[in-house]
Amino acid sequence: MTTVRIFGFASLLLCIGSCGKAPIPSVAEAADRVFVNGAVYTVDEQRSWATAVAVSGGRIVFVGNDENAVAYVGDGTELVDLDGQMVLPGFHDSHVHILTEVMTDDECDLLRIPTEKEVAKKLQACTQAAGHGDELWITGGGWGEWLWPDANPQKGLLDLLYPERPVYLVSSFGHAAWVNSKALEIAGIDANTEDPEAGIIERDPETGEPSGTLRETAMAMVSARIPPMTLEQRKKRVHAGIALSHAVGITAVIEPGVGPEHIDQMLAVSDDGDFNIRALASLSPIGWHAGVFGDEVFEFIAGREQWRRPNLDVDSVKIYMDGVIEYGTSPLLEPYEDSQYGSGEYFYEQEAVNEYFTKLDKLGVQVHVHAIGDAAIRRALDGFAAMREANGMSDNRHQIVHLQLIHPDDRPRFGELGVAAVFQSLWAYPDPAAMELDIPMLGEERTYQMYPIRSVQQAGGRIVGGSDYFVTDLNPLLAIETAITRQNPWSNDGGILNAEEAVDLETMIAAYTINGAYQMGLENEQGSIEVGKRADLVVLDRNLFEIPSSEISDANVIATIFDGKTVYE
């Protein structure tokens, strides 16, 4: 890994002169920073390359070769020799829970712990956590669904470790919570409690008593009882999320599921002058209450102007069309292999979807849809078709995220309807843990048709990248590699998930740069390295186009630059 080096003006003149290069052009207005000797992939319309970039006042003022860059070097210019390293536009993550869901030191982080035994050890360590609220709640999560049969951890272990303290731990998929008896007691959930609409209380098959796992809307029955974190605690989440983003080269995000309890923490950090990220908050005032979309939701959305800030936009609303296939909470066009789930249940009737999409589009907001199963995806696309028929073509940049199973008939509709396809491409490989859940639910044939990125692209759809962190790793390079290889990016073995759906590097860089900027309505401001655009850049230690696809995720972020200033190095 080459260290970024700073040289003076004279050093650059000496280098150029000794190499017999073209004459130095006349001096332009001196820039704040000039980057030279790089592999700059601009992602402009021509997908052109350069070796130098000049930045001034947070904007790009020059893109070209090293010789012409000299015109932007003055006595106060910081000159950076990239030593052949690659420069890309700052990455955009178009579906990520990074400003509201990052766990702090006060919470129990079970994310990516690989075995049930190690989860138990971490839970034991978490008994020392201070907790919050009068009852000293233990919160956190990230546990892997595949570690327990039927993704159904039991309350017994939590009861043993926390007999008097309530515990609420969200799964890595974000669609289930593991709770103990104390939490169930506080929420008033027992054997006689009925499942809420679009939710499941997992139960002991013999006694009917809650077993300790709550799915979808049932999660809110407990989470609503948890005392809220203080504003200062929640500001820590925002700061931590921004730092994590910069460490992997992300400078812009679409943050879904933002309710009233989240907006103030982002505003507080922004008003402090520390909101060093571009963000589109996708409002979701109903949280997990799928199937409910009344007047109070539109009243909440109508007040969004007060939350707008220089780096924070709020013209988006998230709607859940389904749960997840692995729990049987996502409707399918053909029944589940596990007959107990049938074809699943819809969250909304088609008429309601048509009404909501049409009304939101008229309000000038992006409709940001969570849809995983093929039936829910079709219902969402039918809703967008009804919206287009009623309103005509708008410029609200609507999108569907996740897209695990798309029927072939629906793949061309993304391009036809102008709806972006936001894939979490890091999921597009035969992860043995995920396969243990998916194949019994879908069968092998449908499982190997998951995440049809190339089919949607070839049919004219806009491909956009998102991680869905904290569900999976935040690093865009892991997702980019997986979309190209359809193979485990950590080990580069273990089989391929439908090689016909692999795409190329150009497609995935665009998905994480200019296409992400387009989804935020900011393609004229960022997403490519062009004169006049914001100086949001990421420097990598190697040129991704000159290495095998299987090594893309091995590249390191050397520096992340936001508004022309280095925010990670």
Side-chain angles (χ1 to χ4, degrees), residues 418-431:
V419 175
V422 183
F423 284 98
Q424 283 61 65
S425 57
L426 183 51
W427 303 346
Y429 77 96
D431 176 4

Side-chain angles (χ1 to χ4, degrees), residues 465-487:
S467 65
D468 201 19
Y469 179 90
F470 61 96
V471 176
T472 38
D473 200 292
L474 185 63
N475 186 355
L477 296 175
L478 284 165
I480 289 170
E481 178 181 319
T482 305
I484 297 167
T485 66
R486 307 285 291 196
Q487 198 170 32

